[in-house]
């Protein structure tokens, strides 16, 4: 009986010891790598904002369009709206595990949205409107438990939107919003719910 009590702390110690390196790998350095990958996928930055500001010589939390949380010191918001950027979204963006807000409104991003965005479990606000994203609206947004706002309007998605449950707010607070464009018989129909 006494041996069992010694075994439990030993197992707990081994579990924590061997899991810590995995947890430690997801850090601000991981966030920086993900954002530098996004920078590499941007083929046009007319104002050279990212080229001049997103560098290894400064903290990712001081980069234009990036906000970090005070509590975790990780990237919590990415706002590159109205910067006239063109390019695609890399899968590495899904490594921003503390991201709560993603706003890429009114740029020229194109291509399909990577499945890895479904790893952004803290994401509450997403606006990808006024870009050139293509393909079907991915069902990844249905796997984001905190999502309260999603705007995919004015892109080149095809087909109908998947079922995307948005997190309910408390009484008295406006209901979550989902905005998208869908196509019926090759005619674009805008719909808001």
């Amino acid at each position: 009986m006494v041996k069992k009590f010694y075994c439990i702390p030993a197992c707990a110690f081994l579990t924590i010891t061997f899991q810590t390196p995995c947890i430690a790998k997801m850090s601000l350095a991981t966030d920086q790598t993900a954002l530098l990958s996004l920078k590499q996928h941007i083929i046009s930055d007319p104002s050279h904002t990212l080229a001049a500001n997103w560098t290894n010589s400064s903290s990712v939390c001081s980069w234009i369009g990036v906000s970090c949380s005070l509590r975790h010191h990780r990237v919590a918001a990415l706002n590159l709206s109205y910067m006239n950027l063109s390019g695609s979204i890399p899968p590495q963006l899904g490594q921003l595990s503390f991201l709560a807000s993603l706003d890429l409104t009114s740029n020229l991003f194109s291509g399909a949205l990577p499945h890895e965005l479904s790893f952004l479990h803290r994401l509450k606000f997403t606006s990808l409107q006024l870009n050139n994203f293509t393909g079907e609206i991915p069902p990844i947004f249905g796997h984001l438990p905190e999502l309260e706002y999603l705007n995919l309007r004015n892109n080149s998605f095809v087909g109908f939107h998947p079922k995307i449950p948005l997190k309910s707010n408390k009484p008295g607070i406006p209901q979550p919003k989902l905005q998208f464009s869908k196509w019926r018989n090759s005619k674009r129909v805008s719909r808001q719910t």
Side-chain angles (χ1 to χ4, degrees):
M1 189 87 148
V2 173
K3 290 181 183 179
K4 289 182 183 178
F5 288 116
Y6 290 119
C7 182
I8 292 171
C11 289
F13 172 77
L14 290 174
T15 301
I16 291 170
T17 302
F18 289 110
Q19 286 182 351
T20 301
C22 296
I23 293 169
K25 287 182 183 178
M26 296 299 279
S27 66
L28 192 59
T30 305
D31 294 352
Q32 181 176 4
T33 301
L35 292 174
L36 288 174
S37 178
L38 173 62
K39 179 183 172 185
Q40 289 176 345
H41 281 79
I42 293 175
I43 56 175
S44 177
D45 176 9
S47 63
H48 303 287
T49 303
L50 303 186
N53 184 263
W54 285 27
T55 64
N56 287 323
S57 63
S58 62
S59 169
V60 66
C61 295
S62 67
W63 291 358
I64 291 174
V66 177
S67 299
C68 292
S69 67
L70 295 175
R71 182 176 178 200
H72 299 288
H73 199 62
R74 298 285 303 276
V75 173
L78 180 60
N79 184 348
L80 301 179
S81 59
Y82 302 96
M83 294 180 74
N84 206 27
L85 302 171
S86 63
S88 60
I89 305 301
Q92 291 84 352
L93 208 64
Q95 295 174 353
L96 298 175
S97 57
F98 280 81
L99 194 68
S101 177
L102 175 62
D103 191 349
L104 302 179
T105 300
S106 194
N107 282 291
L108 299 169
F109 286 108
S110 59
L113 296 174
H115 170 74
E116 287 79 3
L117 293 181
S118 66
F119 301 151
L120 303 175
H121 294 287
R122 289 180 171 87
L123 203 57
K124 292 181 180 182
F125 175 92
T126 305
S127 181
L128 305 177
Q129 68 176 325
L130 299 168
N131 279 285
N132 294 317
F133 291 114
T134 57
E136 293 187 5
I137 296 174
I140 59 173
F141 296 108
H143 302 288
L144 302 175
E146 299 298 317
L147 194 61
E148 296 175 5
Y149 179 89
L150 174 64
N151 192 333
L152 302 174
R153 297 179 79 176
N154 297 40
N155 278 287
S156 298
F157 292 116
V158 296
F160 294 96
H161 70 91
K163 296 269 185 196
I164 301 173
L166 296 179
K167 184 178 178 181
S168 299
N169 282 336
K170 297 175 185 172
I173 296 176
Q175 288 298 312
K177 295 213 177 215
L178 170 64
Q179 297 179 335
F180 56 91
S181 295
K182 69 178 183 177
W183 291 257
R184 232 182 265 166
N185 298 328
S186 299
K187 290 184 181 178
R188 188 176 187 171
V189 178
S190 181
R191 179 176 169 195
Q192 211 173 355
T193 58

